[in-house]
Amino acid sequence: MAEEFGADPRLVAFMQYVRVACVALTASVVARLLAGGNGALPGAGMEPAPLAVLATLAVAGLGAWAGLRLRVPAGAMIGPLVLGAALHATGLVGMVLPSWLLALAYAGIGWTVGLRFTPATVRATIHALPAVLVATFGLIGLCGMWAWGLTFLLPIDLLTAYLATSPGGLDSVAIIAVGTHSDVSFVLAVQTLRLLIVIVTGPLVARWISRSAGEVR
C-alpha cells in the first residue's frame, strides 16, 4: 500500500518493525510485573503423546496450506488458528506440543522479526526514530488505558486485557499469553479481529489520505 499510494516504503517498514519490537518488549515487561514471574513454558515437565503431537502438526500444516491456497491475509497464521480453534472447540483434536518444540518455534519467530531490521533500512530512517518512538509508545499507552477500562466491562484480568488490546505483534503476544497462563482464546480472538479490521480498512484510509495530500499540494 505504501508504494501504491505514494508513501515511502522504507519509512513505513521501519515504523512497523519498531512498533512490533516495542510492543513485544513492553508486553514482556508488563507480563513480568503482572504475572509475578510465572513465565515457564506451557507443558514443561509433561511429555505429550506422540499421536497428539502429530495431530497438532497436521492441523498446523493443513491450516497453513489452506490459508495460503485461499489467499487469506496472513493465511499461514490465520489458517491454522481457525482450523485448530474449530477442531479444539468441538473436542475432535487437542492442541499439544512438547516444550522443546515450542522453544524452537519461539526462537524462529524471534529471528524472523529481528532479521527484518536491515542496516540499510535503519540508516535511511534513523532521523525519524525519535518521532517513531513517541508515536509508538503513545499508541501503546492508549491501548493500555483501554485495556484497564476493559476490565470493568468484561470478567477478565488486566494482563489478558492488555495482551488482547496490544497494538500489534500477534505472534509475540500469543507466546506471552501462553507462557503467563492468560486467557489465550480471548487474546487471540481480539488480536485476530484487530488484524482483519486493519486489513479491510487500511486501503480505504490510505486512499483517503493520498487524495487529501494530493489536494493540498
Side-chain angles (χ1 to χ4, degrees), residues 50-147:
L51 288 179
V53 174
L54 290 176
T56 300
L57 295 177
V59 169
L62 182 60
W65 175 84
L68 295 173
R69 184 76 174 179
L70 297 174
R71 297 183 179 181
V72 176
M77 178 182 297
I78 300 300
L81 191 154
V82 173
L83 181 60
L87 294 176
H88 185 74
T90 55
L92 296 177
V93 178
M95 302 291 107
V96 291
L97 285 175
S99 57
W100 62 267
L101 186 54
L102 283 172
L104 288 177
Y106 297 166
I109 292 173
W111 291 330
T112 300
V113 175
L115 291 176
R116 290 176 179 173
F117 288 86
T118 63
T121 302
V122 175
R123 283 195 301 268
T125 54
I126 194 66
H127 66 280
L129 183 59
V132 170
L133 290 176
V134 170
T136 299
F137 283 107
L139 179 61
I140 293 174
L142 288 174
C143 290
M145 292 174 60
W146 171 240

Side-chain angles (χ1 to χ4, degrees), residues 1 5 12 16 19-20 73-74 78 139 143 164-170 189-207:
M1 283 191 293
F5 295 109
V12 172
Q16 291 288 345
R19 176 183 56 82
V20 171
I78 300 300
L139 179 61
C143 290
T165 57
S166 176
L170 189 154
V190 176
Q191 285 289 339
T192 302
L193 179 61
R194 177 192 59 79
L195 176 63
L196 294 176
I197 291 176
V198 169
I199 291 172
V200 172
T201 61
L204 300 176
V205 175
R207 185 178 296 109

Side-chain angles (χ1 to χ4, degrees), residues 30-39 159 180:
V30 171
R32 176 73 178 180
L33 295 174
L34 296 181
N38 294 326
L159 180 56
T180 54

